């Protein structure tokens, strides 16, 4: 084999690897988007079907299950929040730290999520949130409003 052929082969391999990385990133973002949209739609349907729910009727979800929807209109953010902080949960939703209270209870509620494109863009625009912007947390029984 001559050197020219080897250089071309290495170049083609590098291009193929680059395309593979690009396509897998696009696939991940598309999967996350559709998973998020499906989860939000199902949770909204669940909320709509439960007219008359009371706080006593609703059990705290188990790890991995939907807890609420977190909305920040000023940055056009609407994301599902599931119980737990495992990698599998944070890969396609925000996660609730189960050692803290759930929304609506007295105390601190901790919701975590990634803010980069490697693991999703759930909190990638938090730096744009301003003082007095509103944050909404939709639970099966109520919508809680918080301002910064």
């Amino acid at each position: 084999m001559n050197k020219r052929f080897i250089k071309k082969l290495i170049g083609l391999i590098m291009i193929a690897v680059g395309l593979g990385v690009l396509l897998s990133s696009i696939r991940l973002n598309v999967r996350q988007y559709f998973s998020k949209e499906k989860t939000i739609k199902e949770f909204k349907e669940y909320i709509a079907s439960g007219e008359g729910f009371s706080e006593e009727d609703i059990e705290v979800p188990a790890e991995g299950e939907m807890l609420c929807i977190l909305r920040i209109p000023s940055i056009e953010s609407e994301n599902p929040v599931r119980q737990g902080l495992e990698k599998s949960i944070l890969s396609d939703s925000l996660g609730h730290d189960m050692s803290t209270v759930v929304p609506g209870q007295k105390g601190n509620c901790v919701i975590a999520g990634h803010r980069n494109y490697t693991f999703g863009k759930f909190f990638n625009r938090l730096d744009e949130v301003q003082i007095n912007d509103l944050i909404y947390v939709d639970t099966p029984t109520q919508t809680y409003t918080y301002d910064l």
Side-chain angles (χ1 to χ4, degrees):
M1 289 189 188
N2 65 25
K3 289 182 180 182
R4 182 176 233 179
F5 175 77
I6 292 173
K7 286 181 181 181
K8 283 184 180 183
L9 182 62
I10 290 172
L12 289 173
I13 291 171
M14 300 279 284
I15 290 171
V17 169
L19 285 173
V21 169
L22 179 66
L23 291 175
S24 67
S25 177
I26 291 169
R27 186 178 142 267
L28 175 66
N29 282 321
V30 168
R31 184 189 67 78
Q32 286 175 336
Y33 173 80
F34 284 112
S35 175
K36 176 182 107 168
E37 293 301 312
K38 179 182 176 201
T39 302
I40 289 173
K41 180 182 177 215
E42 288 172 355
F43 192 71
K44 286 181 178 180
E45 288 171 355
Y46 170 70
I47 291 172
S49 72
E51 302 217 7
F53 279 158
S54 70
E55 293 289 334
E56 295 80 35
D57 294 335
I58 304 297
E59 293 182 20
V60 176
E63 186 170 10
E65 293 182 1
M66 269 295 289
L67 175 67
C68 59
I69 296 172
L70 184 123
R71 295 183 289 126
I72 309 173
S74 65
I75 60 171
E76 301 169 352
S77 175
E78 180 179 48
N79 292 294
V81 179
R82 294 181 8 204
Q83 285 282 42
L85 300 175
E86 299 296 320
K87 182 179 178 180
S88 61
I89 292 168
L90 294 178
S91 70
D92 61 7
S93 69
L94 300 174
H96 170 248
D97 182 344
M98 295 172 60
S99 68
T100 66
V101 301
V102 295
Q105 292 182 342
K106 188 174 182 176
N108 294 317
C109 173
V110 174
I111 296 175
H114 292 286
R115 61 178 290 149
N116 61 27
Y117 285 99
T118 305
F119 295 103
K121 55 185 181 177
F122 304 109
F123 280 154
N124 71 329
R125 294 182 60 200
L126 275 184
D127 61 324
E128 298 174 34
V129 176
Q130 302 290 316
I131 292 176
N132 296 323
D133 282 352
L134 298 176
I135 297 173
Y136 300 96
V137 178
D138 302 321
T139 70
T141 58
Q142 190 170 340
T143 295
Y144 297 96
T145 306
Y146 303 92
D147 63 0
L148 299 176

